Amino acid sequence: MQTVTGKVAAPKAKVAIIVARFNHFINDNLVNGAVDALTRIGQVDEKNITVIWVPGAYEIPLATKVAAQSKKYDAVVALGTVIRGSTAHFDYVAGESSSGLLNASLEYAIPVGFGILTTESIEQAIERAGTKAGNKGAEAALTALEMLNIIKTIKE
Ligand code: INI
């Protein structure tokens, strides 16, 4: 029997963090968590991390697709916050963002760490952005690196 598991460290990886400006006071913490996890745990060189700001979560899939198409990055970390209480079109923004990211990931076979918070309230978002429920930006970053290593191993 052979088993494939992914390591997290990817010292040579080039990573794009694509993040929404909407709710940026929360997203700033997701970016900090992602950069910390990429560099401290993933051993990614800080000069190989590019942070790309887009208007909102709805725009993240397009930027992800273009980033993947450019072949400049080995992995993408998508970060944003969609809060149900603040928008009538929560389901559209959250749903389209999520399915658009999956689509880009599958089309270009590039790992996309999904760090878009979808919460009922601002409090829940804060909890997931570096307070009592951890930092989803860091989790998404580590997942992207792990998938990058798994894909590499599968292809070998
Ligand atoms: N964008 C977000 O990232 N989070 C939200 O909660 C949100 N709300 O509440 O509407 C949001 N809307 C903007 C959207 O992502 C687009 O930028 C906008 O519709 C223009 O295309």
Side-chain angles (χ1 to χ4, degrees):
M1 185 178 86
Q2 295 184 17
T3 306
V4 173
T5 55
K7 292 191 171 60
V8 168
K12 291 185 180 151
K14 292 187 174 60
V15 181
I17 296 175
I18 302 182
V19 56
R21 274 200 315 276
F22 204 104
N23 289 323
H24 79 88
F25 72 103
I26 293 168
N27 300 342
D28 287 345
N29 290 333
L30 297 177
V31 172
N32 290 341
V35 171
D36 176 65
L38 289 173
T39 54
R40 194 171 48 78
I41 304 171
Q43 294 165 35
V44 175
D45 195 329
E46 204 165 328
K47 73 173 189 312
N48 289 332
I49 300 173
T50 305
V51 181
I52 300 166
W53 289 90
V54 298
Y58 192 80
E59 284 72 34
I60 296 175
L62 174 60
T64 299
K65 204 162 180 170
V66 174
Q69 218 168 27
S70 77
K71 297 196 185 321
K72 281 158 64 179
Y73 309 102
D74 302 305
V76 171
V77 183
L79 304 176
T81 304
V82 193
I83 300 170
R84 189 184 292 276
S86 347
T87 175
H89 56 299
F90 172 94
D91 291 323
Y92 297 106
V93 175
E96 296 306 334
S97 192
S98 147
S99 63
L101 284 172
L102 181 62
N103 189 284
S105 176
L106 295 178
E107 184 172 350
Y108 291 95
I110 187 172
V112 176
F114 184 74
I116 298 184
L117 303 178
T118 51
T119 65
E120 296 297 321
S121 65
I122 289 177
E123 288 72 22
Q124 283 181 353
I126 292 169
E127 281 171 14
R128 291 159 176 73
T131 60
K132 72 178 185 192
N135 187 314
K136 297 294 170 197
E139 279 179 31
L142 296 180
T143 300
L145 294 187
E146 185 175 339
M147 283 308 297
L148 180 60
N149 284 327
I150 288 174
I151 291 168
K152 222 161 82 186
T153 309
I154 293 171
K155 285 180 172 173
E156 276 165 6

